[in-house]
Amino acid sequence: MKILKFSSSSLSNADKIKKAVKIVSDQFDSDQFIVVVSAIDGITDHLVKIAKLASQGDITYKKELALIEDRHVTTIKNLVETKNQNQFISPVLDLFKELSMLLDSMYNLRELTKRTLDLVMSFGERFSSLIIQGGFIDKGMPAELVDSCSLIKTDATYNNAIVNIELTNNNIQAYFKNPKKLYVAPGFIASSQSNETTTLGRGGADYTATLFVSALGTSNLEIWSDKDGIMTADPSFVKRAMTIKTISYDEALELAHFGSKVIFSPSLIPAINKKIPIQFKNTLNPAAEGTCICDKAESLKSSPVRGVTSISNVSLITVQGSGMIGVVGITSRLFSCISRKKVNVMLITQGSSEHSITFAVTPSDSQIAKKLIEKEFKLEMKDELIEPLNVEENLSIITIVGENMKNTPGISARLFDALGRNGISAVATAQGASELNISVVIKQEHEKKALNSVHETFFLSGLKTLNVFLIGTGVIGSTLLKQIAQQKEHLITKNNIEVKLIGLANIDKYLFNEDGIKVENWETDLINSGLPINLKDYVKEMKDLNLRNSVFVDCTASKDLADLYADILSSSISIVTPNKIANSSSIEYYEKIHDATARFGVKFLYETNVGAGLPVINTLKDLINSGDEIEKVEAMLSGSLNYIFSNFDDKNGFQQVVKEAREKGFTEPDPRDDLSGKDVGRKLLIIFREMGMKINLDDVDITNCLTKESQEAKSLDELWNTLEQFDNPEMEKRRKMAAESGKILKYVGIIENGKATTAIKEIAPDHPFYNINGSDNIVSFTTSRYKTNPLIVIGPGAGAEVTAAGIFADIIRIVNF
């Protein structure tokens, strides 16, 4: 005989019920069946609501009851053929009359006892049983309706009755001694010794099915829902949760204890005690393998962890004090006193010094437990042997479960690394003696992020998802988005890295999509769906999403945005940016943002601050970290100035070359921004700070390429005039003097002897900088190891493609930290 249980979610409408009927009909010729059914989805809660309305004297209970009646009648009409509908509708309407009379009595008496509530709730399964029976009969499968109340006997603990296993087994075995082809049995409901209707509490329909399985000794139990089985995590939190093929009884019980919503451990015990496999399957996808709970689960090569689960909204109580150390009976007194009020303890952890005991309870139990403990240890607290109780609220428990964890080193390290990398602190930890689970208590606000981080670590075969928030879609930003789109599939297949664009903003609008913005369509989506931009609103929403592996990418030159970096980093969000403002701001702010990276375990990467796509910062860091000593840095760090001085000769005057550079886009709209030398000064400052020097921009000796007259020009036209009148003759004189000695002019930054300077230098033909033309940059490091032949980094120092590539490289680098 096969026993199948159909959950509420698999019976929510006629179409789903038809699928359940078909599952049985496809096997009908080969076996005998007991089909255990739950109430139609949502009906039990609706019945409880109606009962409360009636007992409170609210006449609207009649309207609510009519809605339920109409839903059930409609379900029958959509389920069976028209000619058979009255045959199946009539008994359902009779049952509704019975329920209506009961509710009328409650309305008149203004009373709702637990016993009466059990009777009201029982109608949900009784209704669905009649409907399912009709569905079978309509398809030519005679089905006998089982009175579960007469078979399953309990005590009189209403709403969560305790089953008399021996009597129930005898009743079931006697009833099915000469089994027929097909039975339909309502789950969840039972009766007391005095034949009063009782219910079996949460998971009651599953419990009914396992009681039948245990009593009859069948080979397995199938539990059907609208899910593919038990998942590696709750899919409402973790969208990439996967179906677990097999799971051991012990693992299933641990997952159930620590919050899995698919299974409820007490309901499985009868089947587990008899070592009967339980198969979880999907009525909407019957071909799917589903999940099998069995004695020995299949060993997983990919991960020793079977699942990750969580309990939301937990309170943590800590009892501590010097008077607890070495005192026998403290623990016994503690848990005995709270057990008297049936306070359920979910997790316990104790310091090895015996100085403290911490345990987790539901918020509703926390104040009850606090009062009980304070009463129990009143004298110890008076004498200050035990400190005032510490109750922490708004917490969650994250638990990983797996039998093979105990044989695999490094599991705890990987768990805490996944949490730590995402700025999630452990409030408390615990591990079962069987080593089947490791639990971590965290702030509830981090629950979703923690589940995704841990799940990614143990189940996604090394795949790392970077959740990117980008501001700035100008030339650099749009080029970066194009590069991300081009490399997206390559990164997934070759590097196990997924770059997911979650947030996007330009000067006008911003857009968020937690499922990911399609990089190929970003411009259209931003125009059509974007909201008016406000930087603080954007940053707040990014922080509120609280996603794992978050990276903020600033492709602007905004000081307002740079001023928010410390706040962003403190929210455990890494930053990648070509924006130099933060790193060249005051030394106090510079240290604040860099200290935040260490404190909150995030990264602040800015390779493109200095040389676009050139590896200047990383090369410098490698030299310093490997113990080399930097003696001198020489650098040409402005593509604009290098272009100007490379093309300034006896045929092209200074003013002419500056105009040409502006027309070709090599300078800012106002070329004084480049010719002032401040941009080079900022880059030099950043390099100097990487070397450990605590200086500000004012400490850098910056040479302005322009005369005072050009610097003070009030318009571009006036600038061109002053360039021709004052700068051109002055600069031409310097050029000629250099040329007479075979040299050329270059704008160079130098760090040496604890000083940073920028200047227009005469460069000889044997100097590495002599042949640097166009917009290329070059940096020369003279060190204790690279003394005779300096280490040189050379290449394009400007341009959208190379700058975007440098930003992209920094984004990917986040994964490898």
Side-chain angles (χ1 to χ4, degrees):
M1 178 173 281
K2 293 189 72 170
I3 299 179
L4 287 70
K5 181 262 176 178
F6 289 95
S7 67
S8 294
S9 60
S10 66
L11 305 174
S12 57
N13 56 51
D15 289 337
K16 287 188 176 181
I17 294 173
K18 287 176 182 178
K19 292 181 184 296
V21 170
K22 187 175 187 306
I23 287 165
V24 176
S25 67
D26 287 346
Q27 312 170 62
F28 191 67
D29 293 334
S30 61
D31 220 326
Q32 297 166 308
F33 297 89
I34 300 175
V35 174
V36 179
V37 298
S38 301
I40 290 176
D41 198 19
I43 292 300
T44 301
D45 289 340
H46 207 163
L47 289 172
V48 172
K49 175 186 175 182
I50 290 172
K52 290 179 179 178
L53 289 173
S55 66
Q56 293 165 1
D58 189 335
I59 197 64
T60 59
Y61 79 89
K62 289 183 176 291
K63 180 180 178 181
E64 295 292 334
L65 182 62
L67 290 174
I68 295 182
E69 180 178 311
D70 182 65
R71 178 179 175 184
H72 283 74
V73 170
T74 301
T75 299
I76 295 173
K77 289 180 177 179
N78 292 331
L79 178 66
V80 303
E81 292 185 15
T82 303
K83 63 180 180 180
N84 298 327
Q85 287 177 1
N86 288 336
Q87 174 188 350
F88 303 119
I89 290 174
S90 180
V92 171
L93 292 179
D94 289 342
L95 204 55
F96 267 102
K97 288 178 183 177
E98 184 181 335
L99 175 58
S100 180
M101 292 174 62
L102 174 62
L103 292 168
D104 289 345
S105 298
M106 293 165 57
Y107 177 80
N108 293 327
L109 294 172
R110 302 291 195 273
E111 182 181 79
L112 177 59
T113 64
K114 287 187 176 182
R115 183 179 70 173
T116 306
L117 183 59
D118 266 1
L119 183 56
V120 172
M121 289 193 295
S122 74
F123 280 86
E125 272 69 18
R126 292 162 70 187
F127 288 141
S128 64
S129 299
L130 285 170
I131 293 172
I132 303 301
Q133 181 193 31
F136 284 131
I137 294 173
D138 187 64
K139 297 301 179 185
M141 294 179 284
E144 180 175 311
L145 193 64
V146 176
D147 180 8
S148 297
C149 289
S150 66
L151 301 183
I152 301 174
K153 289 296 180 177
T154 70
D155 66 2
T157 307
Y158 297 103
N159 302 166
N160 193 16
I162 297 172
V163 175
N164 183 326
I165 297 295
E166 183 178 357
L167 182 56
T168 296
N169 284 346
N170 290 337
N171 289 343
I172 292 172
Q173 289 164 3
Y175 187 88
F176 294 103
K177 189 173 183 178
N178 298 303
K180 297 179 182 179
K181 191 67 176 175
L182 176 61
Y183 298 89
V184 176
F188 180 62
I189 61 177
S191 67
S192 65
Q193 301 288 354
S194 58
N195 294 323
E196 297 285 352
T197 299
T198 59
T199 60
L200 302 180
R202 179 188 165 194
D206 287 352
Y207 195 10
T208 302
T210 58
L211 287 169
F212 282 133
V213 166
S214 176
L216 299 174
T218 56
S219 59
N220 76 322
L221 166 65
E222 293 179 7
I223 296 179
W224 292 81
S225 69
D226 60 352
K227 304 289 189 300
D228 279 339
I230 301 172
M231 311 295 282
T232 50
D234 184 344
S236 65
F237 282 124
V238 181
K239 293 184 179 180
R240 285 182 171 166
M242 301 171 287
T243 304
I244 302 171
K245 289 185 179 180
T246 61
I247 183 171
S248 72
Y249 294 132
D250 289 339
E251 289 171 327
L253 292 175
E254 291 290 329
L255 283 177
H257 176 76
F258 285 105
S260 174
K261 296 177 177 61
V262 179
I263 46 182
F264 184 58
S265 53
S267 67
L268 306 180
I269 297 299
I272 291 174
N273 287 342
K274 294 287 185 70
K275 296 190 182 304
I276 297 171
I278 304 170
Q279 190 78 27
F280 285 79
K281 303 207 58 154
N282 187 352
T283 53
L284 305 180
N285 185 20
E289 191 173 350
T291 301
C292 182
I293 303 180
C294 53
D295 190 31
K296 296 292 181 183
E298 175 187 352
S299 179
L300 295 177
K301 294 181 180 179
S302 58
S303 174
V305 175
R306 193 75 63 173
V308 54
T309 187
S310 66
I311 303 176
S312 305
N313 198 18
V314 169
S315 297
L316 207 62
I317 300 176
T318 297
V319 184
Q320 63 182 7
S322 59
M324 296 171 61
I325 301 174
V327 178
V328 177
I330 289 286
T331 304
S332 174
R333 287 174 60 195
L334 171 62
F335 292 109
S336 293
C337 79
I338 63 175
S339 69
R340 288 195 287 271
K341 291 292 184 179
K342 296 184 178 180
V343 172
N344 180 41
V345 175
M346 293 176 277
L347 173 147
I348 303 171
T349 181
Q350 183 173 12
S352 57
S353 66
E354 302 179 7
H355 177 262
S356 66
I357 299 172
T358 298
F359 60 95
V361 297
T362 63
S364 59
D365 281 341
S366 65
Q367 291 306 311
I368 297 171
K370 183 175 184 289
K371 290 178 182 178
L372 291 168
I373 296 167
E374 288 173 339
K375 182 178 179 182
E376 178 69 26
F377 294 98
K378 181 178 180 180
L379 295 178
E380 286 88 348
M381 289 183 174
K382 182 180 178 182
D383 295 337
E384 298 184 350
L385 297 173
I386 292 180
E387 299 171 13
L389 297 185
N390 182 29
V391 180
E392 297 175 80
E393 308 284 356
N394 302 316
L395 303 173
S396 294
I397 300 174
I398 304 293
T399 302
I400 57 173
V401 173
E403 285 188 330
N404 290 330
M405 289 183 352
K406 60 184 175 183
N407 300 318
T408 308
I411 295 296
S412 294
R414 291 172 66 189
L415 169 63
F416 289 107
D417 179 65
L419 297 175
R421 282 167 57 92
N422 287 280
I424 303 168
S425 300
V427 180
T429 63
Q431 182 171 14
S434 63
E435 299 185 49
L436 267 175
N437 71 73
I438 302 173
S439 296
V440 184
V441 182
I442 63 171
K443 291 182 179 179
Q444 187 174 341
E445 64 191 72
H446 295 314
E447 182 178 352
K448 182 177 180 179
K449 183 200 283 190
L451 285 169
N452 279 276
S453 301
V454 173
H455 187 270
E456 183 177 88
T457 296
F458 289 107
F459 292 103
L460 294 182
S461 302
L463 180 68
K464 296 290 184 182
T465 298
L466 288 172
N467 293 305
V468 173
F469 300 83
L470 172 68
I471 289 189
T473 60
V475 177
I476 303 297
S478 59
T479 303
L480 172 63
L481 290 169
K482 182 181 72 173
Q483 291 178 359
I484 291 173
Q486 291 170 344
Q487 285 295 104
K488 186 175 182 180
E489 293 305 318
H490 175 84
L491 286 171
I492 291 174
T493 56
K494 299 296 183 181
N495 301 91
N496 283 328
I497 297 171
E498 179 189 38
V499 178
K500 185 186 286 187
L501 183 65
I502 305 296
L504 182 64
N506 60 18
I507 196 170
D508 297 315
K509 292 185 174 183
Y510 77 97
L511 175 66
F512 281 94
N513 186 339
E514 192 173 347
D515 294 327
I517 300 166
K518 289 186 178 180
V519 187
E520 300 82 359
N521 303 325
W522 70 265
E523 196 164 8
T524 302
D525 290 346
L526 188 58
I527 291 171
N528 294 336
S529 305
L531 300 174
I533 184 64
N534 178 290
L535 291 182
K536 290 186 177 180
D537 288 346
Y538 182 97
V539 171
K540 182 181 184 301
E541 191 163 344
M542 173 177 67
K543 289 163 57 179
D544 289 345
L545 279 175
N546 200 22
L547 298 179
R548 74 205 186 284
N549 303 331
S550 291
V551 184
F552 175 69
V553 182
D554 174 15
C555 287
T556 74
S558 167
K559 182 182 184 302
D560 291 340
L561 202 50
D563 288 342
L564 298 173
Y565 284 5
D567 181 43
I568 293 169
L569 292 166
S570 68
S571 300
S572 299
I573 299 172
S574 294
I575 296 176
V576 171
T577 183
N579 187 342
K580 294 182 286 292
I581 292 176
N583 271 330
S584 59
S585 62
S586 70
I587 188 64
E588 292 77 18
Y589 188 64
Y590 174 88
E591 290 181 334
K592 182 178 181 179
I593 57 179
H594 284 265
D595 288 346
T597 64
R599 182 180 176 188
F600 297 100
V602 289
K603 294 299 170 185
F604 175 41
L605 301 183
Y606 43 88
E607 182 64 79
T608 50
N609 273 195
V610 173
L614 297 181
V616 177
I617 298 296
N618 284 324
T619 298
L620 178 58
K621 285 183 176 180
D622 288 344
L623 289 171
I624 295 171
N625 291 336
S626 65
D628 207 348
E629 293 183 8
I630 311 299
E631 297 180 359
K632 183 178 182 181
V633 179
E634 293 178 281
M636 289 169 51
L637 297 171
S638 170
S640 307
L641 291 178
N642 193 33
Y643 178 88
I644 289 170
F645 283 104
S646 295
N647 290 277
F648 174 37
D649 54 26
D650 56 352
K651 298 178 182 177
N652 301 293
F654 189 68
Q655 181 216 41
Q656 180 183 346
V657 174
V658 172
K659 274 190 173 183
E660 183 180 296
R662 182 181 180 274
E663 289 167 1
K664 290 185 175 182
F666 285 121
T667 72
E668 296 296 327
D670 187 338
R672 284 175 292 187
D673 294 341
D674 300 280
L675 293 164
S676 69
K678 281 192 175 181
D679 185 60
V680 175
R682 289 190 184 95
K683 294 177 180 179
L684 207 62
L685 172 65
I686 293 168
I687 293 175
F688 211 8
R689 285 177 170 178
E690 289 296 320
M691 295 166 59
M693 300 299 292
K694 297 184 177 183
I695 65 169
N696 285 309
L697 186 60
D698 292 342
D699 300 313
V700 180
D701 186 4
I702 299 173
T703 297
N704 196 311
C705 298
L706 300 175
T707 61
K708 183 179 179 182
E709 290 80 3
S710 293
Q711 294 174 41
E712 294 177 353
K714 296 179 181 179
S715 66
L716 277 178
D717 288 338
E718 187 177 338
L719 172 63
W720 302 133
N721 291 332
T722 56
L723 277 174
E724 184 175 11
Q725 185 176 354
F726 299 102
D727 296 72
N728 206 39
E730 176 67 24
M731 203 62 71
E732 177 61 21
K733 180 180 177 182
R734 294 191 63 177
R735 186 197 67 76
K736 282 183 177 180
M737 288 179 62
E740 287 173 1
S741 56
K743 299 176 181 179
I744 57 175
L745 298 181
K746 296 287 187 183
Y747 194 88
V748 179
I750 301 171
I751 296 173
E752 189 175 22
N753 298 325
K755 294 182 179 180
T757 60
T758 72
I760 302 170
K761 291 286 188 180
E762 296 180 4
I763 304 298
D766 60 348
H767 196 284
F769 292 5
Y770 186 86
N771 293 311
I772 304 302
N773 296 309
S775 60
D776 280 358
N777 282 188
I778 183 170
V779 181
S780 171
F781 296 103
T782 302
T783 74
S784 58
R785 294 174 186 160
Y786 294 89
K787 190 174 297 237
T788 305
N789 295 304
L791 176 62
I792 292 176
V793 179
I794 184 172
E801 289 291 340
V802 292
T803 303
I807 299 167
F808 198 179
D810 270 350
I811 293 171
I812 301 305
R813 200 171 283 118
I814 295 288
V815 175
N816 299 320
F817 281 106

